[in-house]
Amino acid sequence: MAKRNHDHLSISDALKQFVETNKLDKGLDKVNVANAWENLMGNGINNYTTSVSLERETLYVSLSSSVLREELSYGKQKIINMLNEELGKEIIKKLILR
């Protein structure tokens, strides 16, 4: 018979514990980063975004417009700061626009 844990956990704590136990946080970070990019950048930039991927602490964003890539490259650190703030933790250290 399974032993029951009688400690009362909130749903968010239980989910957090499940995620940590199963090492899912990296996968969730990748999804959350893509969502944060979409939310922060708006339709204008999202229309030219072909892919967003997180590898370790580097965010790779593929853009179909070289002009937009050049424009965004000037504000890389600001973009990194905004994304990390949106995510509530420092996930991204480097941004590569391609």
Side-chain angles (χ1 to χ4, degrees), residues 30 32-42 44-55 57-66 68-73 75-76 79-80 83 87 92 94-98:
K30 290 181 182 195
N32 292 340
V33 165
N35 289 338
W37 174 269
E38 200 173 295
N39 294 341
L40 287 173
M41 294 302 155
I45 293 173
N46 286 322
N47 289 339
Y48 295 101
T49 303
T50 54
S51 80
V52 177
S53 66
L54 181 68
E55 301 294 325
E57 296 176 331
T58 303
L59 181 63
Y60 295 92
V61 179
S62 298
L63 299 162
S64 59
S65 164
S66 57
L68 180 60
R69 188 178 317 115
E70 185 70 22
E71 255 331 280
L72 290 178
S73 70
K76 277 186 182 180
I79 293 169
I80 291 170
L83 288 167
L87 295 160
I92 305 161
K94 194 173 172 191
L95 173 62
I96 306 285
L97 301 168
R98 9 183 207 197

